Amino acid sequence: MSSATDRLQSLYASNRPPSLQEVSVAAEFLQLCDEKLQVVDTRITALERELEELRAQRSVIEGERRQYTDILSVRRLLPPEIIGRFMELACVDNHNDEPEYSQSLRTHHRLLPFMLVSREWYRTACGLAHLWAELDMDLTNSSSRDVQEIIMKATNQNARAAEIPLSLKIAFSAAGPASTQIVDFIHSLISRLGLFSLRLYVDSISDLQILDTLFHPPSSSSALLWPTLHTLQISIQSKRVMAAESGLYIPSANIPLLRTAAISSPVVIFPSYQMTCTNLFRLDLGPLSELISDEYVPILGTCKNLRSLRLRRIKPQSRRDANNIPVITLPRLTHLHIESSDRVESGFLPLLRLPSLQSCIYIVSAPESYYPRIIDNLEELVKRSGCSESMEYLELHFGDRFRCRMCDLERLLMVVPRLTVLKLSSFEMEMRALQHCLPGVQELSIRSSRGEMDRALRSFTEYLDYRFDAFPGVPLKARLQFVVTKRTLATREQLDSLRAKFGSSLDFVVD
C-alpha cells in the first residue's frame, strides 16, 4: 500500500495526466475513503439522535426544576398584602392634582394584567377594596340595554369594594329612556356613597324634576338619605337657556357629613339656591346663570364654618343695590378664590368679612378689566377683616390685553406684611413697588405677555395666508425671528451673577 501511495506522490505537486496504473490506484483509494465516510456518518447520525433525546430530557428536567424552584422562591413567601401594595403603586396615579376626581378607568385598565397572572393574583387584586370603590360612568348617549349592562358591571365592582365608601361620578340625560333606572341605581348606593359627582343634561324645564326625585326622600321616609356622603358635586348642563320654576334645593339635613360641595349651572336659571349646611368646609359655586353678588348672601350666610370658597363668573350688581346688603362674616375661611368674567369688580368683595383669610386668588377672564377698583376692594377687605397678619398668599390676574401698573398694588401690599407668595399676571415690573412692599416674599411669579411679539406673529401669519391665496404656485421661504437686545444680554449676565452670589437660596426661572 505504501508503494502505491508513493507512486501518487509525484502527482500531488504537478498537473501531469496520471498513467493507467495511477488511475487504478487512485480509484481504489477513493472507494476506501467513501467506505470510511459512510461509517463515520452513521456514527454521527446516531450521536445526533442521542443528542436530541438528551436535549429533550434536559428540557423536561428544566421544566420540573422551574416548578420546584418556584415553590421555594421568595415570591411565594410574600404575603398578599405586599403583592397588593405593588399592584396599588403600579395602578394608582399619585401625581393627580385633583384627588377627589375618579381615576377608576385608568386604575382598572392597569390592574387587568396583574389579574391575568394567576388565580392567586386575581384574588389579591379583587381584594384591594379601595381600588374598586370608584365608579366613573358616562351614560349620556347610552341606550337602555347599554345602561343595564353598565349598571350590572358597576354592581359587581361595588361588591369588591367591601364596606369602603364609594366614589360615584355619573353623567346622564334626564330625558333619556333609562333615567329612572339610573336614579334607582344611585338610590341603591346612597348608604355607601362618600363622593357623588353628578353631571345632568336637561332639554326642558320638566327634566329638572329628576333632581327632586334624586335628592328628596318620599314623605313617608324619615331615615337619612345620604349617611356617609362627604363630597357633593352637581353640574347642570343644557343646550339652551331656560328658567326653572323653583329654586335648587339641596336637603343638607339629609347629608350630615357633607364637607365639600360644588354647584354649577351656567345655562339653567334658578330663582334661588338653598343649601343650609353649617358643617360645610369647602364650597365651589359657579358658573351660576344670572346670579348677581347679593344673591350669594343667603347661600353663604348659613355656611359659617367654611374654610375654602371658590366663586366663578359672578355677575355684578349696581352700587345702589350693594349699599343695602349686610356684610357676611365667615370667621374660619382661609382660602378665597374668585373668577369673574366681567371687566369691573362684581361688588362681592365689599360683602365679606374674613378674619382668618390666608390665601386670595382673583382672576378676571375678560380680556381687560378695571383693575384699580378690584385692588381697592381687596385692600378694604383686608382692613375690614383684620387679616393683615394672616395673609400669606396673593394671586391676581386681570386680563391679557394691557399691562397693569405695579405701583397700583402698593397700598394693598403694604397692608399684608406677612405675604410669602405673590403671583401676578400682566403686571409691569416696577422696582419701587417691589422694594418697599415685599420684604418677606419667598415665592414671586410674574407672568407678562409680549404684545409686540403677538402682533408681529399675527401679522406674519396673515401675510402667509394672503401670499399663498394670491400666488399659490410661487414657492416662498419665510422666517420670523425674535432676537434679544444688548440690554437683554446685560440683564441675563446680571441674573447669572446673582445666581452665583446667592447659590441655593435663590431659585428663579425666566422663560
Side-chain angles (χ1 to χ4, degrees):
M1 180 67 68
S2 59
S3 60
T5 304
D6 294 340
R7 294 195 193 101
L8 299 179
Q9 288 293 333
S10 59
L11 290 174
Y12 296 153
S14 68
N15 289 324
R16 69 177 180 80
S19 63
L20 293 176
Q21 186 177 7
E22 291 171 340
V23 170
S24 176
V25 172
E28 292 178 3
F29 281 121
L30 181 60
Q31 183 179 359
L32 181 61
C33 289
D34 290 339
E35 293 173 356
K36 291 180 179 180
L37 283 175
Q38 186 176 2
V39 174
V40 172
D41 289 342
T42 302
R43 290 193 61 190
I44 288 175
T45 301
L47 291 174
E48 287 178 344
R49 187 180 302 110
E50 183 179 0
L51 180 60
E52 290 179 359
E53 293 175 355
L54 290 174
R55 285 174 174 168
Q57 293 178 17
R58 178 181 177 84
S59 178
V60 173
I61 296 171
E62 285 180 340
E64 295 176 351
R65 186 180 185 279
R66 281 194 298 269
Q67 293 177 349
Y68 298 133
T69 301
D70 183 70
I71 292 175
L72 299 177
S73 66
V74 179
R75 175 184 59 81
R76 287 182 175 269
L77 302 179
L78 292 175
E81 293 79 7
I82 300 298
I83 298 176
R85 181 56 178 164
F86 290 155
M87 295 179 183
E88 181 181 346
L89 293 174
C91 295
V92 177
D93 185 5
N94 292 324
H95 301 288
N96 190 8
D97 294 333
E98 299 288 345
E100 69 266 24
Y101 289 158
S102 173
Q103 306 173 46
S104 57
L105 291 178
R106 293 190 300 273
T107 299
H108 298 161
H109 290 163
R110 294 173 183 172
L111 192 60
L112 183 59
F114 295 101
M115 300 176 68
L116 298 177
V117 171
S118 66
R119 290 187 178 90
E120 291 295 330
W121 280 37
Y122 180 88
R123 285 193 286 268
T124 299
C126 291
L128 299 175
H130 58 285
L131 293 185
W132 301 101
E134 297 180 345
L135 293 173
D136 192 341
M137 306 168 64
D138 189 348
L139 308 176
T140 308
N141 299 315
S142 300
S143 64
S144 298
R145 172 180 287 185
D146 293 338
V147 168
Q148 185 174 358
E149 293 179 358
I150 294 173
I151 289 178
M152 185 179 301
K153 292 179 181 178
T155 303
N156 295 333
Q157 178 180 327
N158 295 340
R160 294 173 180 170
E163 299 301 321
I164 292 180
L166 300 177
S167 171
L168 174 62
K169 285 184 61 179
I170 190 166
F172 68 96
S173 172
S179 58
T180 302
Q181 185 179 0
I182 295 171
V183 171
D184 291 341
F185 169 70
I186 297 173
H187 281 167
S188 70
L189 300 178
I190 58 176
S191 62
R192 297 182 55 194
L193 284 179
L195 182 149
F196 179 45
S197 177
L198 170 65
R199 191 167 72 253
L200 181 66
Y201 294 89
V202 296
D203 296 334
S204 63
I205 297 177
S206 60
D207 291 341
L208 295 173
Q209 295 177 359
I210 199 169
L211 292 173
D212 293 332
T213 306
L214 184 60
F215 288 105
H216 297 276
S219 57
S220 60
S221 175
S222 59
L224 294 175
L225 266 184
W226 311 80
T228 60
L229 190 68
H230 57 76
T231 301
L232 175 63
Q233 301 166 351
I234 301 176
S235 176
I236 303 174
Q237 307 287 334
S238 179
K239 294 181 179 179
R240 62 185 182 88
V241 177
M242 63 179 68
E245 298 175 351
S246 59
L248 179 61
Y249 170 57
I250 305 299
S252 52
N254 295 331
I255 317 176
L257 300 183
L258 188 63
R259 297 295 181 267
T260 300
I263 300 177
S264 170
S265 179
V267 178
V268 180
I269 305 170
F270 289 92
S272 63
Y273 296 85
Q274 300 181 33
M275 188 176 59
T276 304
C277 189
T278 57
N279 296 323
L280 200 64
F281 289 167
R282 181 177 178 181
L283 181 60
D284 187 338
L285 293 177
L288 298 177
S289 183
E290 299 299 319
L291 200 67
I292 61 177
S293 298
D294 62 334
E295 293 175 323
Y296 285 87
V297 174
I299 304 175
L300 301 178
T302 59
C303 303
K304 296 296 184 179
N305 288 313
L306 277 181
R307 270 65 166 177
S308 175
L309 174 62
R310 182 179 182 182
L311 305 175
R312 288 181 285 179
R313 211 173 76 184
I314 304 176
K315 185 178 180 180
Q317 84 250 347
S318 65
R319 290 179 177 266
R320 181 184 60 186
D321 296 336
N323 294 331
N324 300 322
I325 303 173
V327 174
I328 309 169
T329 300
L330 300 175
R332 293 178 174 83
L333 190 79
T334 59
H335 177 68
L336 177 64
H337 186 148
I338 296 178
E339 298 177 18
S340 176
S341 60
D342 200 274
R343 64 183 301 272
V344 299
E345 205 278 310
S346 62
F348 184 76
L349 292 176
L351 304 179
L352 297 177
R353 181 182 289 111
L354 311 173
S356 302
L357 189 62
Q358 299 177 8
S359 169
C360 179
I361 300 174
Y362 200 109
I363 299 175
V364 178
S365 59
E368 59 184 25
S369 64
Y370 184 65
Y371 68 91
R373 182 183 173 187
I374 300 175
I375 295 174
D376 291 342
N377 285 345
L378 285 172
E379 178 189 351
E380 292 301 321
L381 170 65
V382 174
K383 291 180 179 179
R384 181 173 57 254
S385 303
C387 59
S388 295
E389 297 297 318
S390 62
M391 271 291 294
E392 298 178 349
Y393 184 103
L394 180 62
E395 181 175 344
L396 304 175
H397 176 86
F398 294 147
D400 294 322
R401 185 160 294 179
F402 59 87
R403 297 182 183 179
C404 306
R405 296 179 59 194
M406 189 80 176
C407 63
D408 292 333
L409 282 176
E410 238 180 290
R411 290 192 305 173
L412 172 59
L413 297 178
M414 289 294 288
V415 299
V416 286
R418 304 292 182 185
L419 201 66
T420 58
V421 178
L422 177 62
K423 297 184 178 182
L424 305 174
S425 179
S426 300
F427 274 83
E428 290 185 349
M429 293 287 291
E430 293 176 343
M431 181 60 186
R432 179 172 173 270
L434 292 174
Q435 185 177 8
H436 291 89
C437 304
L438 303 174
V441 167
Q442 300 175 12
E443 182 179 346
L444 175 64
S445 174
I446 297 183
R447 177 177 171 267
S448 180
S449 61
R450 287 185 163 180
E452 297 83 0
M453 294 178 62
D454 294 339
R455 287 190 293 270
L457 184 59
R458 182 172 61 252
S459 298
F460 187 71
T461 305
E462 291 174 353
Y463 166 73
L464 294 179
D465 185 40
Y466 157 76
R467 166 65 170 74
F468 276 94
D469 278 344
F471 307 99
V474 181
L476 172 67
K477 181 178 181 181
R479 179 180 183 183
L480 177 63
Q481 185 176 18
F482 298 104
V483 298
V484 297
T485 65
K486 293 182 178 180
R487 181 181 299 178
T488 306
L489 293 174
T491 304
R492 287 185 177 177
E493 291 176 357
Q494 187 177 2
L495 288 174
D496 292 338
S497 64
L498 289 175
R499 180 183 278 115
K501 180 179 179 180
F502 296 107
S504 58
S505 299
L506 177 61
D507 183 8
F508 68 87
V509 177
V510 179
D511 55 9

